[in-house]
Amino acid sequence: MRTLAGGMREASIDVGAITANVRHLRRLTESEVIAVVKADGYGHGATRAAVAALAGGATRLGVADITEALALRRAGITAPILAWLHAPGASFAEAVSQGIELGISDIDQLQRAAAAASVGRPADVHLKLETGLGRNGIAPAEYGVVFAEAARLERIGKLRVIGLFSHLSNTSSDDDRAALRVFLDASAAASTLGLAPRLRHISATHAAIALPEARLGCVRLGIGIYGLSPFADRSSADLGLRPAMTLRAAVAALRRVPAGQGVSYGYLHRTDRETTLALVPLGYADGVPRTASMRGPVSIGGREFTVAGRIAMDQFVVDVGDHPVAVGDEAVLFGDPTLGHPAADAWADAADTINYEIVTRIGPRVPRRQVSS
């Protein structure tokens, strides 16, 4: 029996793949890379992902909130870190003292960032611009006021405007180019009001690959550094990327059953012949989507099967027929398809979602085992 971390289940994380993916995308885009390690590094572990990405040539890290950024600082990460989503009225004092760069979406946040500055320690900020996504960011009608105030605060040493940034919708090339035009016009307006940020970044992995004019010398890479594709029609291998996460479990039990046996809650599956049922100890409490019941792929002993019946909280069943399977055999839900594993994309299709959600939702009950290839 192969022993897994924690005994029954594990997600192995190939940090060498993360490093290689960053290096590949940095060369492809010829741009400075901000490696996005929010949401615990898309489920891969924020610190290990950060270290691996920096080894691949990333110069900055991106997270959603200050708590994530401070956790990286406590883990010993000294590289610049940008955090861009803040609670109403949140204090920026600790973030500024720890050198965390703040994404600023309105005049109130800008003023609170400046108030958190101290002698010799201005607040480092990236101004987030709303360019059509309808989420956070400085509204176009407020660009002038915020740019002018940022320039004033920079002159008196309260803050430094490190960058301007925004997000694209990835709806279509035309939509993204329209947003890019808004962003470039805003950048020009910021310049006329005295701002000269070193960085401009609007591209995540999708646009960094598909829309070269949106690279602007700096790209924020999330899903791509973990080896997954943001495109419906191009695989990881097509993009030269290696998936970093492999989710597996040891077969916990086998049961030989007759035709007509119901399987799991609701009997979505009934056997049509005498067969063997294999129990896999992963369920929706571990992040395996219940909506993938009867559809999710599983590889056991080099052969691919499909989940039989309903995925439960802690386990699901695979109907393996007469295929030789033993208790303790490895069941792989997803990993690198070039190694013969199902793709995270296949689980995304089975659950009617995206590959981002598949890896990000894998829960803390699943131990992570770091490997490097």
Side-chain angles (χ1 to χ4, degrees):
M1 179 189 300
R2 184 185 185 281
T3 301
L4 302 182
M8 290 192 294
R9 56 182 81 88
E10 72 170 30
S12 61
I13 310 299
D14 186 347
V15 293
I18 295 174
T19 296
N21 293 332
V22 171
R23 187 178 294 122
H24 170 66
L25 290 168
R26 185 167 59 89
R27 290 171 179 163
L28 175 70
T29 62
E30 298 181 322
S31 299
E32 185 168 341
V33 170
I34 301 173
V36 181
V37 296
K38 63 182 180 178
D40 196 30
Y42 286 45
H44 295 68
T47 299
R48 71 170 61 90
V51 171
L54 293 168
T59 56
R60 267 180 170 73
L61 303 171
V63 295
D65 58 52
I66 290 169
T67 298
E68 293 176 312
L70 293 174
L72 290 171
R73 283 284 184 263
R74 289 192 295 272
I77 302 295
T78 59
I81 304 171
L82 168 64
W84 55 71
L85 187 61
H86 314 298
S91 171
F92 294 146
E94 187 176 8
V96 172
S97 72
Q98 292 295 318
I100 306 302
E101 298 174 355
L102 300 168
I104 297 299
S105 287
D106 58 41
I107 190 73
D108 175 67
Q109 290 181 357
L110 183 73
Q111 292 170 341
R112 286 190 287 113
S118 58
V119 177
R121 172 73 83 172
D124 290 336
V125 304
H126 296 233
L127 303 180
K128 170 72 184 292
L129 308 181
E130 159 58 12
T131 57
L133 197 57
R135 304 193 313 188
N136 64 333
I138 302 161
E142 301 298 321
Y143 286 170
V145 171
V146 176
F147 293 160
E149 178 66 358
R152 183 187 74 82
L153 292 168
E154 193 166 49
R155 285 195 301 272
I156 64 176
K158 289 291 188 179
L159 56 79
R160 292 181 293 200
V161 179
I162 304 296
L164 300 178
F165 76 115
S166 190
H167 284 74
L168 296 172
S169 71
N170 302 334
T171 303
S172 69
S173 293
D174 287 344
D175 285 299
D176 285 350
R177 288 191 174 100
L180 178 61
R181 286 193 295 272
V182 174
F183 185 76
L184 293 176
D185 288 346
S187 297
S191 179
T192 64
L193 289 170
L195 295 178
R198 189 176 72 79
L199 300 176
R200 296 180 301 165
H201 47 104
I202 194 170
S203 291
T205 302
H206 188 289
I209 294 171
L211 200 66
E213 64 263 42
R215 292 170 184 165
L216 305 179
C218 182
V219 293
R220 290 187 317 273
L221 302 180
I223 198 67
I225 74 174
Y226 304 104
L228 300 180
S229 170
F231 303 102
D233 59 351
R234 282 186 274 179
S235 69
S236 298
D238 292 337
L239 301 177
L241 303 174
R242 288 162 43 199
M245 181 188 289
T246 301
L247 180 64
R248 51 169 62 88
V251 172
L254 295 168
R255 186 177 300 277
R256 191 71 180 173
V257 299
Q261 171 72 50
V263 178
S264 194
Y265 297 120
Y267 286 178
L268 297 183
H269 177 75
R270 293 179 188 266
T271 60
D272 59 6
R273 69 207 182 289
E274 183 180 355
T275 189
T276 298
L277 303 178
L279 186 68
V280 179
L282 283 163
Y284 59 78
D286 305 300
V288 179
R290 186 173 181 269
T291 51
S293 298
M294 298 290 289
R295 293 191 289 173
V298 185
S299 177
I300 304 175
R303 181 171 171 181
E304 188 168 303
F305 301 94
T306 302
V307 172
R310 187 89 69 190
I311 294 170
M313 185 179 291
D314 312 300
Q315 57 200 274
F316 63 82
V317 174
V318 178
D319 185 339
V320 299
D322 297 321
H323 190 66
V325 174
V327 170
D329 281 357
E330 182 178 276
V332 179
L333 278 69
F334 60 81
D336 186 346
T338 66
L339 301 178
H341 301 152
D345 303 79
W347 275 88
D349 291 343
D352 298 319
T353 186
I354 54 176
N355 53 17
Y356 300 65
E357 184 178 354
I358 296 301
V359 292
T360 302
R361 68 187 296 162
I362 300 305
R365 192 167 68 172
V366 180
R368 271 56 167 180
R369 180 173 64 92
Q370 181 169 315
V371 301
S372 185
S373 64

